[in-house]
Amino acid sequence: MRKTLNITEAIFPMPVLLVTTYNEDGSVNVMNAAWGTMQERGNVALNLTETHKTVKNIKARGAFTVSIADAAHVVEADYFGVVSGNREPKKFENSGLTASKATTVDAPVINEFPICMECEFIEYQNNEYGVGVIGKVVNVTADEKVMVDGKLDMSLVNAIAFDPYTHGYYLVNERVGEAFKDGLQLK
C-alpha cells in the first residue's frame, strides 16, 4: 500500500554541489547548491536566486566553478549552505579549505574537493517556473587520488547526495550496474 507524503523537492538523490566565485575584492566565495544538474551535454543549470552573493559574483565575473562534495568534507559543504556570503565575508576562510585559480575561467577551484567543472556564465533565467544560472562547462579537473589508470573512478570520489525528505546527506559510491548495457537483457 502506498502512502501520501508532504510535497517537497522530492527527488533523491540531489547532488551536493559547491559553486565557487571570486568576490569584488578577489576573495573566495562559495555556496552549497543542491538544486543543480546538467541541462544538456556541456551545460550546467543551477537553481539559484539573484539574492545569493554567488549569483551577483557570477554575473560580475562571467564565470564560476562547480565542485562535487565528498564525504570527507560534509561539514564544510553543509557550512557553505547554512552561512550566507552576504552576511559573512570570511565564509570561505572560516572553512579552513584552500583554493587556487581555475585554469580556464576567472573563478577559484576548491583544492580539497575531488572533481571540479570550470564554467563560463551563459545566462540568468528568471520566469514563473523558476530561476537559474546556466553555464557552459569549459574544463573539468579531478584530483589524481580519484583516478585509476588515467580515468575517473567515481567510487573513490565518495560523493555525497542530499535527501530532501529528511534533510540528510548520503554517501554515493557503490557501482551497481552498467548503464546502456544491463537493460539490453530484457530486449
Side-chain angles (χ1 to χ4, degrees):
M1 175 175 217
R2 299 185 66 82
K3 293 189 73 118
T4 300
L5 302 175
N6 291 332
I7 294 175
T8 183
E9 292 85 17
I11 294 179
F12 176 80
M14 292 178 78
V16 180
L17 305 173
L18 290 309
V19 182
T20 312
T21 62
Y22 285 120
N23 291 315
E24 313 82 41
D25 65 0
S27 62
V28 175
N29 171 270
V30 60
M31 73 172 290
N32 178 324
W35 291 18
T37 190
M38 297 305 293
Q39 183 183 41
E40 63 177 330
R41 185 173 297 275
N43 284 357
V44 65
L46 305 169
N47 191 347
L48 308 175
T49 62
E50 287 186 284
T51 58
H52 289 291
K53 176 76 171 150
T54 305
V55 173
K56 294 171 189 167
N57 291 344
I58 289 170
K59 288 179 169 184
R61 295 277 186 155
F64 59 98
T65 62
V66 178
S67 296
I68 297 174
D70 64 345
H73 300 96
V74 69
V75 171
E76 294 89 344
D78 190 58
Y79 171 76
F80 294 141
V82 297
V83 173
S84 169
N86 286 318
R87 291 187 288 282
E88 177 50 70
K90 294 187 181 219
K91 178 177 171 179
F92 182 73
E93 188 178 306
N94 293 344
S95 75
L97 299 180
T98 61
S100 6
K101 183 167 180 3
T103 308
T104 59
V105 299
D106 185 22
V109 173
I110 303 173
N111 298 320
E112 290 78 6
F113 290 109
I115 300 173
C116 182
M117 295 179 283
E118 299 177 15
C119 303
E120 293 175 349
F121 174 56
I122 294 175
E123 72 175 289
Y124 185 79
Q125 298 177 344
N126 187 3
N127 61 50
E128 65 182 299
Y129 299 108
V131 296
V133 169
I134 309 298
K136 177 182 170 107
V137 178
V138 295
N139 192 35
V140 180
T141 62
D143 189 303
E144 290 179 357
K145 293 183 283 192
V146 297
M147 308 284 286
V148 174
D149 298 326
K151 294 183 181 176
L152 179 65
D153 183 338
M154 284 305 291
S155 69
L156 298 176
V157 172
N158 287 322
I160 57 173
F162 172 64
D163 164 19
Y165 293 98
T166 66
H167 294 170
Y169 292 112
Y170 289 83
L171 187 61
V172 181
N173 72 340
E174 184 180 348
R175 187 178 186 122
V176 296
E178 299 298 320
F180 310 107
K181 184 178 177 186
D182 289 351
L184 296 176
Q185 297 172 46
L186 300 178
K187 228 176 160 183

